[in-house]
Amino acid sequence: MTKWSRNTKRALMGISATAAVLALGAAPALAEGRDVHLKSYSEDCGVLGCTTIEHADGYFYHDGDHWKVCDNYSDGDRAVLTVFWSDSTGDHQLKIQDTNGSGNSCGEGSKNLREGQKVIVRTWHQNGADGSEKDAKRGEGIA
């Protein structure tokens, strides 16, 4: 191989590497959404050990900005989920709940959010419409 061909090869490799870096740098940044799945649960402990009771499942789905909460336990309590976010117009909160309390139903909601919007999701169970939060869980998602 001659000296000229080695230099040419190096130059071509440098040009190729530069083109690859520029192409990757020019690619648009895509916001990746993040779903959330939360379980509100408690433990009932006795002499023989503990049993986990799953009261509610809360979900935030970034694809479609949709959420739901499902009551899993027939104790008369409601399953509740809230979604919080802040944007240029202020702080926002949406709340949904299953009103059945019989352990076999879900509540659902949705709102078109800005892509890449951070949300805070909380789920719990409570006695009646104004009961206190029990076994609350928190997670963060991205619309």
Side-chain angles (χ1 to χ4, degrees):
M1 194 178 264
T2 66
K3 186 175 182 181
W4 180 80
S5 62
R6 256 186 282 208
N7 288 338
T8 301
K9 186 176 178 181
R10 286 184 187 150
L12 288 175
M13 286 176 61
I15 291 170
S16 296
T18 302
V21 168
L22 289 175
L24 290 174
L30 298 175
E32 289 197 30
R34 184 170 62 226
D35 295 341
V36 178
H37 177 203
L38 302 171
K39 288 184 174 288
S40 173
Y41 64 90
S42 64
E43 298 219 345
D44 184 18
C45 296
V47 177
L48 299 176
C50 296
T51 301
T52 300
I53 301 169
E54 294 184 6
H55 298 277
D57 276 310
Y59 303 89
F60 171 79
Y61 302 104
H62 79 276
D63 189 13
D65 305 332
H66 174 81
W67 43 85
K68 75 178 181 178
V69 65
C70 296
D71 186 359
N72 298 326
Y73 191 64
S74 184
D75 59 357
D77 280 5
R78 296 180 180 200
V80 183
L81 180 131
T82 56
V83 179
F84 300 92
W85 73 95
S86 296
D87 61 19
S88 62
T89 63
D91 295 333
H92 309 278
Q93 173 184 326
L94 291 175
K95 180 178 180 179
I96 58 170
Q97 57 186 307
D98 134 85
T99 57
N100 185 325
S102 67
N104 64 355
S105 65
C106 299
E108 299 186 53
S110 64
K111 170 100 173 135
N112 189 23
L113 301 173
R114 176 183 52 81
E115 291 300 311
Q117 175 68 57
K118 179 182 168 184
V119 295
I120 297 171
V121 182
R122 294 184 66 239
T123 193
W124 65 87
H125 63 107
Q126 68 186 36
N127 189 347
D130 298 317
S132 59
E133 296 180 13
K134 300 176 194 173
D135 308 306
K137 302 297 183 240
R138 178 187 185 279
E140 293 183 5
I142 300 175

